[in-house]
Amino acid sequence: VRLALYGFGNVGRALARMLAATRAPFTVTALATKGHGAVVDSSGIDLPTILAGTDLPLRKAPPIASLPADVLVEMTPLDPIAGEPALTYLREAITAGMHVVTANKGPIAWAYRELDALAKKNDRMLRFEATLADCLPVFTLRRAALPLAKISAIRGIVSSTNNHILTAAAAGVPFAGALAEAQHLGIAEADPRNDLEGHDAAAKATILANVLMDADLVPEDVTREPIDERAANAARAAAQSGDRVRPVIEIARRGETVAASFGPRRLGPLDPLYAVDDFSMGLIFETDLAGRVVVQLHDPHVDQVAYAILTDLLEISAAGTMPRP
Amino acid sequence: VRLALYGFGNVGRALARMLAATRAPFTVTALATKGHGAVVDSSGIDLPTILAGTDLPLRKAPPIASLPADVLVEMTPLDPIAGEPALTYLREAITAGMHVVTANKGPIAWAYRELDALAKKNDRMLRFEATLADCLPVFTLRRAALPLAKISAIRGIVSSTNNHILTAAAAGVPFAGALAEAQHLGIAEADPRNDLEGHDAAAKATILANVLMDADLVPEDVTREPIDERAANAARAAAQSGDRVRPVIEIARRGETVAASFGPRRLGPLDPLYAVDDFSMGLIFETDLAGRVVVQLHDPHVDQVAYAILTDLLEISAAGTMPRP
């Protein structure tokens, strides 16, 4: 299976290292960076050479449709939630007969129904495990472990930065210091308001509602309360009586509609989200056939984003679907 | 896909109700009970009629190889861990060209390597999600969400009865009363020593070690400490300082070998197993590529055992593998 890697930042480089180190059945035939050019080689690019920092021969990547690849792996830098140019890349690739894997939540939050329909029409696979919470099993879990089950509600923590800030606050660290640390570690979004005001969480809640609960939300439909000084103070106070304040998304079906919210919530120790500490993430699914199922990913790093992409690629490979027409 | 249901106790009846209620693509063509006869109908058995309690026409089920079915669903009454007659049924079915799904942990704990090899040789699928912890995603999770990842350690709670006893003890309920309640609810094994002395947990730890960590254990290799009056007292004492005592299996690779144990363990609130309360179950996987992944199933009922079997059946159906030779 031939891959075109679009975007070669921290995630792209982690994926390249993982592809080089594992026996995954893939050949990278195209690679495009933001500011350091591109390379296309239908016989396969040597990833260790690229990772060592060689100059790339092309100033710009050729048009997506012309690339000798079966899958576009879309990892371009995050735009502020809205989804471009990633959305355009995904449309181009699917229309050109490529499967697509994206790490960008914008296109899925804003245009899941359109992209899903386009992929089905072209008999291509659309995968986006990394958009939600690194390699926390979400969409893979749905397909493999929750088939036919109806999900009536989802509750969870999907914002590492906010959870880190409230975890630090519980230990007495001031709000500004905890935010600065998340930024220093490269975990926070470029504009911290995307995290703190819940835009990032709202995009993720939208994806969960639309993909797993057949809703038709846009991120603005998600009610948001900020993670701020006041929430940090509440976290510190809660910790003194053994509770935690965590940044929680809540999605629930109410009759014909699905409602979603984000905000700081106080939890006791027997809540499955209590132990989702610091940069960890977790989700609780309320279902009919499977009961209440919980997944958590603890202390993830950038490798866990790359691994989510790898699991998507392995599913495409295992499906043995036809190469590009 | 044609199913032969072997065993029609609580789990078998729950599965039959689920098959009748969902649009799962299956026809039941054979059904065998322990004491109430059997029925074979290659055009499909009407499950609501059987569930209503009709007499079955055959005194005994015909030989497995003669059944007009593509999959044997093995749900015969639990023998004390050892695995017979379930193991014989599974061997017969695979050799006759059937896929097999079992809810019995005995055969998988004692003979996984043999059955796996036999299934591979006959190009048949062997599935056993329900053996571990109802529909807690374990083997589905491994295949879908943890491909290529190496699992170096597993820690978890897979014994509902023991966890219920220690949860009740933490709330001040005496040991004997909590055990009696689990038996009354039909959760405890027929012989309570299977739960309390850790035989059931040891069988499950063996399955996890052999299937997910490529070990070659038998249940006797698992070190066991009992859940008894003393553990219940420790649970009550721990609760007073905000901790919990839980029945924990621990499996870890040490060099070339894999070691496994079971016993009561004291946990603090930030341990992901702390909130796995009462009849709930949960596992923590330590992996290389995916980091630390946690799954939990809260407050399961018999329907969640049936659903685990259904997910196995759906995977067999989706694989589109050839019908019986």
Side-chain angles (χ1 to χ4, degrees):
Chain A
V1 179
R2 302 167 303 163
L3 310 182
L5 308 189
Y6 251 59
F8 205 62
N10 288 337
V11 172
R13 298 177 72 85
L15 178 63
R17 282 193 301 271
M18 216 172 260
L19 289 171
T22 60
R23 288 167 307 161
F26 304 105
T27 307
V28 175
T29 52
L31 193 154
T33 70
K34 192 183 180 192
H36 297 88
V39 56
V40 176
D41 185 341
S42 59
S43 66
I45 295 163
D46 186 58
L47 293 174
T49 306
I50 304 286
L51 285 164
T54 187
D55 283 349
L56 301 184
L58 304 174
R59 265 195 57 210
K60 253 190 82 175
I64 285 173
S66 74
L67 299 175
D70 305 303
V71 185
L72 178 75
V73 185
E74 200 286 307
M75 305 172 286
T76 54
L78 282 175
D79 47 5
I81 309 300
E84 289 293 359
L87 180 52
T88 300
Y89 295 155
L90 296 176
R91 284 196 194 109
E92 274 181 49
I94 296 171
T95 308
M98 297 163 80
H99 304 291
V100 292
V101 174
T102 182
N104 264 322
K105 58 187 143 315
I108 307 301
W110 284 101
Y112 168 66
R113 290 199 170 198
E114 178 209 325
L115 289 171
D116 182 52
L118 188 67
K120 286 199 171 83
K121 185 181 142 204
N122 286 273
D123 199 19
R124 300 293 90 178
M125 292 171 77
L126 165 69
R127 290 292 181 266
F128 45 85
E129 193 71 33
T131 59
L132 219 292
D134 303 355
C135 69
L136 179 77
V138 179
F139 308 107
T140 51
L141 183 87
R142 168 55 153 174
R143 288 190 291 273
L146 301 175
L148 293 187
K150 286 200 183 70
I151 297 172
S152 57
I154 301 173
R155 204 160 66 84
I157 298 169
V158 292
S159 352
S160 283
T161 300
N162 290 328
N163 204 37
H164 170 72
I165 289 170
L166 294 180
T167 299
V173 178
F175 179 79
L179 173 60
E181 194 193 345
Q183 288 178 308
H184 176 71
L185 290 167
I187 306 288
E189 296 271 336
D191 180 346
R193 287 175 303 177
N194 283 334
D195 289 315
L196 301 175
E197 294 176 6
H199 298 288
D200 183 70
K204 290 176 173 181
T206 301
I207 294 174
L208 289 168
N210 292 354
V211 177
L212 299 182
M213 295 172 68
D214 202 28
D216 195 11
L217 302 186
V218 293
E220 281 100 336
D221 294 330
V222 180
T223 312
R224 290 177 288 105
E225 295 162 60
I227 304 303
D228 53 14
E229 194 82 46
R230 197 174 138 217
N233 291 339
R236 190 159 40 246
Q240 275 155 23
S241 49
D243 286 349
R244 286 289 183 277
V245 172
R246 301 237 179 258
V248 173
I249 54 168
E250 294 175 283
I251 311 167
R253 184 174 297 286
R254 303 199 206 295
E256 291 299 292
T257 63
V258 171
S261 66
F262 167 78
R265 300 283 177 267
R266 184 169 174 148
L267 312 173
L270 283 175
D271 190 303
L273 299 177
Y274 183 98
V276 179
D277 207 38
D278 211 2
F279 292 112
S280 303
M281 294 182 277
L283 289 170
I284 304 172
F285 300 98
E286 304 286 345
T287 80
D288 54 353
L289 302 178
R292 184 183 304 131
V293 175
V294 178
V295 286
Q296 300 171 357
L297 176 68
H298 287 259
D299 309 315
H301 298 274
V302 68
D303 275 354
Q304 276 66 65
V305 186
Y307 181 67
I309 296 170
L310 182 61
T311 64
D312 282 345
L313 291 171
L314 287 166
E315 195 183 341
I316 289 172
S317 167
T321 43
M322 286 184 307
R324 286 175 68 179
Chain B
V1 179
R2 301 167 305 162
L3 311 181
L5 307 189
Y6 251 59
F8 204 62
N10 289 337
V11 172
R13 298 177 73 84
L15 177 64
R17 281 193 302 270
M18 216 171 260
L19 289 172
T22 60
R23 289 167 305 162
F26 305 105
T27 307
V28 175
T29 52
L31 192 153
T33 70
K34 193 183 178 192
H36 297 89
V39 55
V40 177
D41 185 342
S42 59
S43 67
I45 295 164
D46 185 59
L47 293 173
T49 305
I50 303 286
L51 285 164
T54 188
D55 283 350
L56 301 183
L58 305 173
R59 266 193 58 210
K60 252 190 82 173
I64 285 173
S66 74
L67 298 175
D70 305 303
V71 185
L72 179 75
V73 185
E74 202 286 307
M75 305 171 286
T76 55
L78 283 175
D79 49 3
I81 310 301
E84 288 295 358
L87 180 53
T88 301
Y89 296 155
L90 296 176
R91 284 195 194 107
E92 276 181 48
I94 296 170
T95 309
M98 298 163 79
H99 305 291
V100 293
V101 175
T102 182
N104 265 321
K105 59 187 142 314
I108 307 301
W110 285 100
Y112 168 67
R113 289 199 172 200
E114 177 209 324
L115 289 171
D116 182 52
L118 189 66
K120 286 199 171 82
K121 185 182 142 204
N122 287 271
D123 198 19
R124 300 292 92 178
M125 291 171 79
L126 165 70
R127 289 291 181 269
F128 44 84
E129 193 71 34
T131 58
L132 220 290
D134 305 354
C135 70
L136 179 77
V138 179
F139 308 108
T140 52
L141 184 86
R142 168 55 154 173
R143 289 189 291 273
L146 301 176
L148 294 187
K150 288 201 183 68
I151 297 172
S152 57
I154 300 174
R155 203 160 67 86
I157 298 169
V158 292
S159 352
S160 283
T161 300
N162 290 328
N163 204 37
H164 170 72
I165 290 170
L166 294 180
T167 298
V173 178
F175 179 78
L179 174 59
E181 194 193 345
Q183 288 177 309
H184 177 71
L185 290 168
I187 307 288
E189 297 269 337
D191 180 346
R193 287 174 304 177
N194 283 335
D195 289 314
L196 302 175
E197 294 176 6
H199 299 288
D200 183 71
K204 290 176 172 180
T206 302
I207 294 174
L208 288 169
N210 292 354
V211 176
L212 299 182
M213 295 171 67
D214 202 30
D216 195 12
L217 303 186
V218 293
E220 282 99 335
D221 294 330
V222 180
T223 313
R224 289 177 290 103
E225 296 163 59
I227 303 303
D228 53 13
E229 195 81 46
R230 198 174 137 219
N233 292 339
R236 190 160 37 249
Q240 274 154 25
S241 48
D243 286 349
R244 286 288 181 278
V245 172
R246 302 239 179 257
V248 173
I249 55 167
E250 294 175 284
I251 311 165
R253 183 174 298 286
R254 303 197 207 293
E256 291 298 292
T257 65
V258 171
S261 66
F262 166 78
R265 300 284 177 267
R266 183 169 176 149
L267 312 173
L270 284 176
D271 190 302
L273 299 177
Y274 183 98
V276 179
D277 207 39
D278 212 2
F279 293 112
S280 303
M281 295 182 276
L283 290 171
I284 304 172
F285 300 98
E286 304 284 345
T287 80
D288 54 354
L289 301 178
R292 184 184 303 132
V293 175
V294 178
V295 286
Q296 300 172 359
L297 176 68
H298 287 259
D299 309 314
H301 297 274
V302 68
D303 275 354
Q304 276 66 66
V305 186
Y307 181 67
I309 296 170
L310 182 61
T311 64
D312 282 345
L313 290 172
L314 287 166
E315 194 183 343
I316 290 172
S317 167
T321 42
M322 286 185 307
R324 288 175 68 179

